[in-house]
């Protein structure tokens, strides 16, 4: 997942134009597959969660600060988004 994050960040997989479209929020902070948010420093974060019977996943990433956290769980009711945000809060407050 970290290699995929870097490939997106360094535009090995998509063009700058495609990235701009993908990360531009349209409806209530939702872009093309990503929930977009900003921290107090103005850094943009891209978030996406999902799950299916028996699984729960969440990815939270920021290209501007080269940050990514991925939570993968084999429990469908696991609060993967909450954990990803908690880890992010802890890591960024330690900087």
């Amino acid at each position: 997942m970290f290699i995929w994050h870097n490939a997106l960040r360094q535009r090995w997989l998509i063009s700058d134009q495609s990235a701009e479209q993908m990360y531009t929020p349209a409806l209530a902070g939702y872009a093309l597959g990503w929930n977009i948010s900003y921290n107090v420093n103005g850094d943009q974060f891209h978030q996406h969660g999902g799950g299916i019977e028996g699984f729960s996943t969440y990815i939270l990433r920021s290209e501007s600060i080269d940050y990514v956290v991925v939570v993968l769980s084999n429990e469908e009711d696991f609060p993967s988004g909450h954990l990803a945000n908690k880890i992010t809060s802890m890591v960024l407050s330690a900087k």
Side-chain angles (χ1 to χ4, degrees), residues 1 10 14 18-19 27 38 40 50 52-53 55-56 59-60 62 68 70 80:
M1 292 301 295
Q10 296 178 15
I14 59 174
S18 293
L27 299 171
Y38 298 86
V40 295
I52 195 166
E53 297 174 11
F55 300 95
S56 175
I59 182 169
L60 191 153
S62 175
V68 63
V70 177
S80 55

Side-chain angles (χ1 to χ4, degrees), residues 3-29:
I3 292 170
W4 179 75
H5 162 74
N6 278 331
L8 283 177
R9 187 176 61 82
Q10 296 178 15
R11 303 298 182 258
W12 295 338
L13 298 177
I14 59 174
S15 67
D16 287 336
Q17 182 181 11
S18 293
E20 184 176 338
Q21 288 178 321
M22 189 165 74
Y23 302 136
T24 300
L27 299 171

Side-chain angles (χ1 to χ4, degrees), residues 6-86:
N6 278 331
L8 283 177
R9 187 176 61 82
Q10 296 178 15
R11 303 298 182 258
W12 295 338
L13 298 177
I14 59 174
S15 67
D16 287 336
Q17 182 181 11
S18 293
E20 184 176 338
Q21 288 178 321
M22 189 165 74
Y23 302 136
T24 300
L27 299 171
Y30 192 75
L32 296 179
W34 296 99
N35 287 308
I36 307 298
S37 63
Y38 298 86
N39 69 3
V40 295
N41 298 323
D43 301 309
Q44 187 181 64
F45 284 81
H46 318 130
Q47 305 173 55
H48 185 85
I52 195 166
E53 297 174 11
F55 300 95
S56 175
T57 64
Y58 205 86
I59 182 169
L60 191 153
R61 56 189 298 272
S62 175
E63 292 185 355
S64 62
I65 60 171
D66 192 16
Y67 176 82
V68 63
V69 63
V70 177
V71 176
L72 305 172
S73 173
N74 61 353
E75 290 183 32
E76 71 183 275
D77 293 329
F78 187 81
S80 55
H82 176 75
L83 180 59
N85 281 289
K86 187 83 165 169

